[in-house]
Amino acid sequence: MSESLDILIFGAHADDAEIGMAGTIAKHTAAGFKVGICDLTYAEMSSNGSVELRVQEADQAARILGLTARANLGLPDRGLFVTPSHIELITQEIRKFKPRIVFAPYWQDRHPDHIACSALVQEAVFNAKLRKYLPETDPVNVEQMYFYFINDVYEADFIVNVTDYYETKTAALSAYRSQFVAGQGTVATPLNQGYVERVEARDRLMGQKRMLPYAEGFVSKLPLVVDRFN
């Protein structure tokens, strides 16, 4: 029996969730929330690093962030498509962990796998609540679904102040040395040519809108509910 999660974050590859929202993850785990990440692929098409090394790096990042669970569905890297079989696997993951809140990549991004991941998770969140879909497992009604940015940033509906947890985000990203550190024998890619520094600059700019040192931005397709204005 898997432990129920407060928050479940989906990414196409290990490091997607960390790029977009590691500060928010760290802030919530520090407050006692049970948070998990589900990577859809092993990123076997990456120009640098091996599958085995990337699994080790993802495990290290999970420890740094204090995750309750980290899973990998083993779907094909650069082979993510909105198919019944892919939707079913993600739906089963949602029903396994019963999260109150689900995060997925924003639906516009320069990497096609991030776009596909967003579409797949949206389909799975909807299917997870249907009693006659995969009736051998209990339905799960996700309370909220939000979207985080990876490569490309659009207008955020809300931001999370992650200033006090930014060192933890930096440490989590540093776990992925095979992707973000250029060295002898590595192939030059956008990820190892100052990418982490650009992520930090993005998070600084996001925070600047509300005079915060660092913030991470998110989007909701549904209206945000306000009880009262403070």
Side-chain angles (χ1 to χ4, degrees):
M1 180 69 69
S2 299
E3 187 171 2
S4 295
L5 298 175
D6 297 301
I7 298 171
L8 179 58
I9 303 141
F10 287 93
H13 321 96
D15 74 21
D16 287 349
E18 286 88 341
I19 291 168
M21 55 179 295
T24 300
I25 294 170
K27 187 170 190 175
H28 283 77
T29 58
F33 285 69
K34 296 175 182 177
V35 182
I37 294 176
C38 178
D39 306 310
L40 299 192
T41 80
Y42 285 107
E44 64 270 15
M45 299 296 288
S46 294
S47 298
N48 294 304
S50 63
V51 168
E52 293 75 18
L53 178 56
R54 295 210 65 178
V55 168
Q56 294 173 11
E57 291 173 339
D59 288 344
Q60 182 182 352
R63 289 191 294 272
I64 291 169
L65 293 173
L67 297 181
T68 299
R70 186 158 206 161
N72 194 306
L73 295 185
L75 295 174
D77 191 19
R78 292 299 299 118
L80 293 178
F81 299 101
V82 183
T83 63
S85 61
H86 287 185
I87 295 169
E88 181 176 320
L89 284 172
I90 298 169
T91 303
Q92 289 173 336
E93 202 72 4
I94 293 170
R95 289 184 173 179
K96 174 183 175 183
F97 287 112
K98 301 176 178 60
R100 295 188 301 105
I101 303 167
V102 164
F103 286 84
Y106 187 67
W107 54 89
Q108 294 184 58
D109 190 276
R110 70 173 177 263
H111 197 311
D113 281 359
H114 301 164
I115 298 171
C117 177
S118 183
L120 282 164
V121 176
Q122 290 179 70
E123 293 279 352
V125 166
F126 188 90
N127 282 10
K129 65 185 177 183
L130 302 179
R131 296 185 180 277
K132 293 183 179 180
Y133 180 80
L134 303 178
E136 65 276 12
T137 57
D138 294 332
V140 171
N141 188 20
V142 174
E143 295 175 16
Q144 300 283 349
M145 183 175 183
Y146 302 118
F147 300 87
Y148 64 91
F149 302 117
I150 303 177
N151 291 315
D152 305 315
V153 180
Y154 296 85
E155 192 66 31
D157 290 329
F158 63 97
I159 62 175
V160 175
N161 181 3
V162 296
T163 304
D164 292 342
Y165 299 90
Y166 212 79
E167 287 187 7
T168 306
K169 176 169 185 168
T170 301
L173 291 174
S174 296
Y176 295 98
R177 289 186 58 82
S178 71
Q179 302 306 299
F180 297 129
V181 178
Q184 187 174 5
T186 61
V187 177
T189 72
L191 293 181
N192 59 30
Q193 302 299 309
Y195 186 86
V196 172
E197 289 80 2
R198 290 194 293 275
V199 170
E200 180 177 353
R202 175 194 74 187
D203 295 342
R204 280 185 177 274
L205 283 172
M206 194 69 73
Q208 186 179 32
K209 294 184 177 184
R210 293 303 301 263
M211 298 185 68
L212 302 170
Y214 293 100
E216 293 169 339
F218 300 91
V219 172
S220 173
K221 283 193 170 182
L222 295 175
L224 299 175
V225 178
V226 176
D227 187 47
R228 64 173 61 89
F229 291 98
N230 295 321

